[in-house]
């Protein structure tokens, strides 16, 4: 009994600590724990909970992705309807809005301006301080219960410090970077791309499998609550402050204004820096600050009269499509890019725009010489929105899609369930060169000096047929290539030679197994420790890895079943490529006991005996966190020769400084 109380107390302590660290990281953006510290505590909690399932509670950080796969979402009726907003498109519209409110109330009004986040609105209900329900807006009266997915959003607290019974509302969104990365990988997979971060967020929140939603990196900003009485606040400004105090993420960017001139200035300021924000906004929401005044002004059936949404004009431009280029990627997917007359759009000159896939091109009926409207998806990627049919030349013909690969000229296939066309020829030079670029890239085998033009020559000259052939290249062969000098040829051979000693996860990344990126490669290498064990692993054994799903397991299994893959791996092994995991196993690195384990370390200056990457990997395998800049949070700076400002800063902050040799000695 005594024993159980102690275990329960430890579980409580770990939960509290992990939730606090997570809050500092995701909500306050001020992390105090290193990734290694977090992982260590998380795994301790996981182990204790596995032994004592009776102590697992819904607010445990291990339970964020505990939700089951659903057949469909349950409908939920909102206790207070989730209204929408009326729109303003100009300063005049805002002036009219202000005049209306002044007339209604007979006084000047104070406003709070907030960014209009381009996502989808959600409502979070807490009972007794525990997250009970996460719901979409739906039609405003009835939404969908997406609790399982909302629980995977790291910035949503699962429990509050006090037993509040409240509902808070806000916007769920996908950061621009995550949107770009998601679409890039979907394009490579031949899947449909999302038109913008809002659709991507909505699509992710409406996933029936919370495991998929969890991978989509969603976030929230909360901005309203029907529970203002419980929260004891009387203005929007106080509400936002109170919500932040309780532990919700609120957007730090907002301004209290007394006049529409002030509001307009703020709109212009934000408009000018809109591109730099890490999330997409589509305007500004202007709200009456005082709640009593809000009630006095009241509502229409659809929207409050006391707020208005100013919408930024859509950033669009017109240009003419002159050509369509088709490129073959590593997985054989053939993607179209429009080549257009140069045009200015949201701060850059745009000449090319992704057309994503053949289905999208057909749907939008994009033809050569068409005048098109372009915009930037996620504020970053130029895309063709639509064709201006009135400007279509009379002689225009539907675009003729390629039926053969632009590189190897084999027939292209339009597979069922895919929006893309694929070249299925495994020997297609484009796929081979792309695959080799991936193999030598920094995150994979890290062979610096081997760029796309050299790889192209390798194939053209018949020096290589596959990645194993890289390991039999000779100096004489390299010197015969175009534009390669003695020194760079030697460097290339050295980089190839050094790569033989890489830890297994780099090879796994480099092989380009579908769905296996650097993260999954590391998990696989750490778990199976050598290639042979991985090659022989069954689906069940693969699924033993925490967080590794069916799709990756199936892809790994089918990859290693191919005779050509088995031959390739044998060849790599015969040429001396390491097939083992050289880092610490999870358990080892947690218990490494090295003096730098759990410390935050900065590398600066030129290292003589190690490359930066090696030093970083060594440190990480000891459980240290390597960061780029020196601050009060830095524990140790490792300085090579000609170290500059970072070393000065470390000295001025009194931070411990080590030489490269001291670091190497500590490893001995
Ligand atoms: S307040 C009564 N504040 O914009 C409606 N909405 O066009 C309360 N939105 O449905 C909404 N950022 O999804 C509010 N700071 C913000 C917002 C915001 C984005 C969305 C919200 C709303 C839509 C209306």
């Amino acid at each position: 009994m005594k024993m159980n109380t102690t275990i329960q107390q430890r579980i409580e302590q770990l939960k509290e600590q992990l939730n606090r660290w997570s809050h500092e990281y995701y909500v306050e953006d001020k992390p105090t724990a290193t990734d290694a510290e977090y992982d260590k505590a998380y795994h301790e909690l996981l182990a204790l909970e596995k032994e004592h399932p009776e102590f697992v509670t819904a607010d445990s950080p291990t339970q964020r992705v505990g939700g089951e796969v659903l057949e469909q979402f349950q409908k939920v009726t909102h206790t207070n309807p989730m209204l929408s907003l009326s729109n303003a498109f100009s300063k005049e519209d805002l002036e009219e809005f202000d005049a209306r409110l002044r007339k209604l109330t007979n006084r000047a009004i104070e406003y709070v301006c907030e960014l209009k986040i381009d996502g989808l609105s959600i409502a979070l209900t807490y009972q007794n301080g525990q997250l009970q329900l996460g719901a979409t807006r739906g039609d405003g009266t009835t939404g969908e219960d997406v609790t399982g997915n909302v629980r995977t959003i790291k910035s949503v607290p699962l429990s509050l410090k006090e037993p509040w019974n409240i509902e808070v509302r806000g916007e769920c969104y996908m950061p621009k970077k995550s949107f770009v990365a998601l679409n890039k990988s979907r394009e490579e997979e031949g899947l449909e791309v999302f038109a913008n971060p809002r659709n991507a967020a909505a699509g992710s929140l409406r996933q029936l499998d919370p495991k998929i939603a969890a991978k989509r990196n969603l976030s929230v900003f909360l901005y309203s609550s029907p529970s203002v009485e419980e929260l004891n606040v009387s203005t929007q400004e106080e509400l936002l402050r109170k919500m932040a105090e309780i532990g919700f993420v609120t957007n730090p960017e907002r301004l209290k204004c007394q006049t529409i001139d002030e509001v307009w200035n703020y709109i212009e300021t934000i408009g000018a820096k809109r591109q730099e924000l890490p999330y997409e906004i589509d305007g500004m929401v202007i709200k009456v600050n005082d709640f009593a005044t809000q009630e006095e002004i009241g509502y229409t059936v659809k929207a409050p009269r006391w707020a208005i949404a100013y919408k930024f004009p859509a950033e669009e431009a017109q240009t003419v499509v002159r050509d369509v280029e088709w490129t073959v990627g590593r997985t054989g997917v053939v993607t179209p890019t429009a080549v257009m007359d140069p045009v200015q759009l949201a701060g850059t000159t745009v000449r090319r725009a992704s057309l994503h896939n053949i289905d999208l091109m057909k749907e939008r009926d994009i033809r050569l010489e068409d005048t098109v409207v372009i915009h930037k998806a996620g504020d970053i990627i130029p895309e063709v929105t639509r064709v201006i049919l009135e400007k279509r030349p009379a002689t225009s013909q539907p675009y003729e899609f390629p039926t053969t690969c632009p590189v190897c000229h084999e027939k292209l296939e339009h597979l069922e369930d895919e929006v893309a066309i694929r070249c299925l020829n495994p020997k297609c030079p484009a796929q081979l060169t792309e695959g080799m670029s991936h193999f030598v890239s920094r995150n994979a085998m890290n062979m610096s000096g081997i760029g796309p033009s050299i790889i192209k020559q390798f194939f053209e000259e018949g020096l290589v047929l596959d990645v194993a052939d890289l390991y039999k290249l000779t100096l004489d062969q390299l010197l015969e290539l175009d534009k390669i000098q003695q020194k760079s040829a030697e460097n290339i051979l050295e980089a190839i030679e050094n790569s033989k000693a890489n830890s297994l996860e780099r090879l796994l990344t480099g092989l380009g197994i579908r769905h296996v990126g650097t993260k999954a490669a590391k998990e696989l290498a750490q778990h199976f420790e050598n290639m042979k064990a991985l090659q022989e692993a069954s689906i069940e054994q693969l699924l033993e890895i925490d967080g590794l799903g069916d799709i990756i397991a199936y892809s790994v299994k089918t990859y290693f079943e191919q005779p050509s893959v088995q031959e390739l791996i044998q060849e790599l092994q015969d040429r001396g490529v390491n097939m083992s995991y050289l880092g610490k196993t999870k358990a080892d690195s947690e218990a490494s006991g090295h003096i730098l384990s759990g410390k935050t370390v900065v590398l600066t200056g030129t290292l003589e005996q190690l490359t930066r990457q090696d030093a970083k990997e060594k440190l990480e395998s000891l459980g240290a966190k390597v960061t780029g800049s020196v601050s009060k949070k830095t524990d140790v700076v490792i300085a090579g020769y000609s170290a500059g400002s970072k070393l000065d800063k470390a000295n001025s902050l009194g931070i411990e400084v080590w030489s490269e040799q001291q670091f190497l000695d500590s490893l001995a």
Side-chain angles (χ1 to χ4, degrees):
M1 182 65 194
K2 170 109 197 327
M3 170 85 177
N4 274 355
T5 328
T6 337
I7 289 170
Q8 195 174 8
Q9 276 168 351
R10 179 66 187 147
I11 288 182
E12 282 307 315
Q13 208 177 26
L14 287 165
K15 277 195 310 198
E16 194 273 328
Q17 190 173 48
L18 286 163
N19 282 334
R20 184 161 37 82
W21 283 342
S22 188
H23 181 80
E24 286 164 355
Y25 186 92
Y26 289 104
V27 182
E28 292 174 14
D29 206 9
K30 287 184 206 128
T32 63
T34 62
D35 292 356
E37 280 169 325
Y38 186 94
D39 282 352
K40 189 168 174 224
Y42 185 89
H43 282 99
E44 186 185 340
L45 177 62
L46 206 60
L48 287 176
E49 286 181 339
K50 208 168 173 182
E51 267 177 49
H52 298 273
E54 69 276 21
F55 297 146
V56 179
T57 56
D59 71 338
S60 169
T62 60
Q63 301 303 299
R64 283 205 181 261
V65 197
E68 45 186 320
V69 181
L70 302 173
E71 290 283 311
Q72 61 173 68
F73 294 111
Q74 295 294 319
K75 296 268 177 262
V76 261
T77 308
H78 300 295
T79 349
N80 293 287
M82 292 179 80
L83 301 177
S84 69
L85 294 173
S86 32
N87 293 325
F89 297 97
S90 62
K91 190 174 177 196
E92 288 69 48
D93 289 350
L94 294 175
E95 279 163 348
E96 272 175 33
F97 164 73
D98 182 49
R100 223 166 29 239
L101 301 201
R102 279 162 176 266
K103 197 165 165 217
L104 263 166
T105 57
N106 270 325
R107 57 183 189 273
I109 311 264
E110 181 175 79
Y111 298 104
V112 171
C113 298
E114 294 169 21
L115 304 193
K116 184 159 152 40
I117 314 297
D118 201 7
L120 70 155
S121 39
I122 50 159
L124 310 177
T125 309
Y126 288 82
Q127 265 165 29
N128 244 324
Q130 304 296 317
L131 176 66
Q132 217 66 46
L133 175 70
T136 61
R137 175 175 180 273
D139 63 5
T141 313
T142 313
E144 282 174 327
D145 177 346
V146 288
T147 316
N149 294 340
V150 167
R151 290 176 62 86
T152 69
I153 305 175
K154 305 257 189 8
S155 52
V156 169
L158 298 179
S159 65
L160 307 174
K161 275 174 252 149
E162 287 178 44
W164 294 102
N165 290 316
I166 50 170
E167 181 184 329
V168 288
R169 294 174 175 183
E171 204 78 356
C172 171
Y173 68 94
M174 183 176 285
K176 288 178 193 170
K177 264 196 187 156
S178 313
F179 163 74
V180 172
L182 175 65
N183 263 3
K184 187 164 172 269
S185 75
R186 288 180 70 87
E187 197 169 283
E188 276 169 12
E189 291 294 320
L191 298 173
E192 216 168 315
V193 288
F194 290 109
N196 51 47
R198 176 169 23 88
N199 289 5
S204 306
L205 208 55
R206 298 194 69 259
Q207 278 292 332
L208 292 163
D209 181 358
K211 278 214 179 75
I212 300 181
K215 293 207 180 105
R216 295 285 178 82
N217 194 23
L218 297 174
S219 203
V220 287
F221 280 124
L222 295 153
Y223 48 66
S224 78
S225 171
S227 320
V228 293
E229 273 172 32
E230 290 86 330
L231 292 167
N232 192 23
V233 287
S234 56
T235 65
Q236 174 67 8
E237 200 190 12
E238 277 174 28
L239 172 67
L240 291 173
R241 210 178 311 128
K242 183 85 189 189
M243 288 204 296
E245 240 174 68
I246 293 181
F248 296 111
V249 206
T250 54
N251 193 308
E253 192 67 72
R254 56 177 177 260
L255 188 70
K256 197 157 75 171
C257 297
Q258 312 299 333
T259 64
I260 292 301
D261 279 344
E262 281 174 41
V263 169
W264 191 250
N265 270 340
Y266 189 50
I267 288 177
E268 286 186 327
T269 312
I270 294 297
K273 63 175 195 184
R274 186 177 160 194
Q275 255 75 30
E276 292 150 34
L277 293 170
Y279 44 83
E280 202 167 336
I281 60 171
D282 59 343
M284 184 79 79
V285 181
I286 298 105
K287 303 176 180 175
V288 169
N289 190 23
D290 179 50
F291 289 154
T293 313
Q294 285 185 1
E295 289 312 307
E296 186 184 340
I297 296 167
Y299 300 79
T300 68
V301 206
K302 279 199 238 134
R305 282 185 222 275
W306 46 260
I308 197 158
Y310 170 79
K311 292 274 195 85
F312 289 130
E315 291 202 67
E316 291 184 336
Q318 283 188 22
T319 182
V320 180
V321 177
R322 300 295 179 191
D323 195 6
V324 176
E325 278 179 12
W326 294 85
T327 32
V328 188
R330 180 162 58 87
T331 58
V333 170
V334 183
T335 41
T337 303
V339 182
M340 309 164 303
D341 290 345
V343 63
Q344 278 299 114
L345 174 65
T348 59
T349 308
V350 174
R351 293 184 175 81
R352 304 161 64 81
S354 172
L355 296 168
H356 294 303
N357 57 60
I358 188 169
D359 283 8
L360 206 84
M361 260 186 95
K362 281 184 182 160
E363 187 189 303
R364 297 191 185 162
D365 186 20
I366 297 164
R367 305 179 181 187
L368 296 180
E369 310 307 322
D370 264 349
T371 300
V372 290
V373 175
I374 59 169
H375 76 285
K376 283 190 181 167
D379 279 349
I380 309 174
I381 306 210
E383 254 182 12
V384 174
T385 320
R386 62 179 192 280
V387 176
I388 302 182
L389 290 175
E390 301 79 64
K391 295 198 181 171
R392 177 168 275 174
T395 53
S396 168
Q397 294 293 321
Y399 182 79
E400 273 192 42
F401 293 100
T403 50
T404 56
C405 171
V407 180
C408 73
H409 310 295
E410 291 273 315
K411 196 165 165 280
L412 292 174
E413 300 290 337
H414 196 165
L415 299 182
E416 221 182 295
D417 297 341
E418 289 196 345
V419 288
I421 37 177
R422 265 182 203 274
C423 168
L424 296 181
N425 171 13
K427 299 240 147 68
C428 169
Q431 282 180 61
L432 294 176
T433 51
E434 286 295 317
M436 189 164 289
S437 287
H438 178 74
F439 187 80
V440 304
S441 68
R442 204 145 56 110
N443 285 332
M445 293 302 266
N446 192 24
M447 301 182 194
S448 56
I450 310 183
S453 80
I454 294 183
I455 290 178
K456 200 161 160 241
Q457 290 186 63
F458 284 167
F459 281 99
E460 281 170 0
E461 300 300 320
L463 296 180
V464 298
L465 291 174
D466 58 32
V467 293
D469 290 343
L470 284 170
Y471 294 94
K472 43 174 216 201
L473 289 168
T474 64
L475 189 62
D476 287 345
Q477 286 176 327
L478 290 181
L479 287 174
E480 273 178 25
L481 300 181
D482 241 14
K483 295 187 205 133
I484 292 204
Q485 309 295 323
Q486 176 90 16
K487 184 76 195 135
S488 41
E490 282 170 7
N491 287 344
I492 288 176
L493 286 182
E494 194 184 333
I496 295 176
E497 187 59 30
N498 288 344
S499 78
K500 291 182 185 170
N502 282 337
S503 183
L504 176 61
E505 65 276 22
R506 287 187 167 273
L507 176 59
L508 292 178
T509 305
L511 289 174
I513 307 166
R514 281 184 85 182
H515 306 291
V516 177
T518 47
K519 200 161 165 262
K522 177 90 189 260
E523 301 269 346
L524 290 165
Q526 209 166 29
H527 188 85
F528 291 99
E529 298 187 19
N530 63 65
M531 183 66 99
K532 187 153 186 294
L534 175 60
Q535 277 176 294
E536 288 168 359
S538 63
I539 294 276
E540 291 72 29
Q541 286 168 328
L542 287 160
L543 288 172
E544 274 170 23
I545 301 182
D546 197 23
L548 192 124
D550 300 351
I551 297 179
I552 298 184
Y554 183 74
S555 167
V556 170
K557 179 94 180 90
T558 35
Y559 178 78
F560 286 116
E561 272 167 5
Q562 298 171 71
S564 60
V565 167
Q566 289 161 9
E567 271 167 39
L568 176 72
I569 288 167
Q570 190 57 50
E571 256 179 87
L572 286 165
Q573 191 167 6
D574 293 347
R575 304 234 151 93
V577 176
N578 167 57
M579 298 278 154
S580 308
Y581 176 60
L582 303 177
K584 292 243 158 89
T585 60
K586 266 200 175 137
D588 283 351
S589 66
E590 277 156 23
S592 96
H594 187 274
I595 185 165
L596 293 179
S597 159
K599 295 280 162 61
T600 303
V601 181
V602 173
L603 290 162
T604 184
T606 314
L607 302 179
E608 285 166 281
Q609 304 179 56
L610 292 170
T611 63
R612 268 287 168 102
Q613 188 59 28
D614 284 345
K616 186 167 182 269
E617 280 174 12
K618 283 207 162 51
L619 283 162
E620 283 172 349
S621 73
L622 298 171
K625 181 180 175 189
V626 183
T627 63
S629 60
V630 177
S631 74
K632 276 188 273 176
K633 287 196 199 124
T634 311
D635 296 302
V636 173
V637 170
I638 299 177
Y641 74 86
S642 62
S645 60
K646 288 186 192 172
L647 179 58
D648 296 343
K649 187 156 183 206
N651 284 328
S652 74
L653 291 171
I655 289 164
E656 209 174 310
V657 178
W658 288 21
S659 66
E660 182 182 1
Q661 193 55 51
Q662 262 174 302
F663 171 52
L664 289 169
D665 291 346
S666 80
L667 299 174

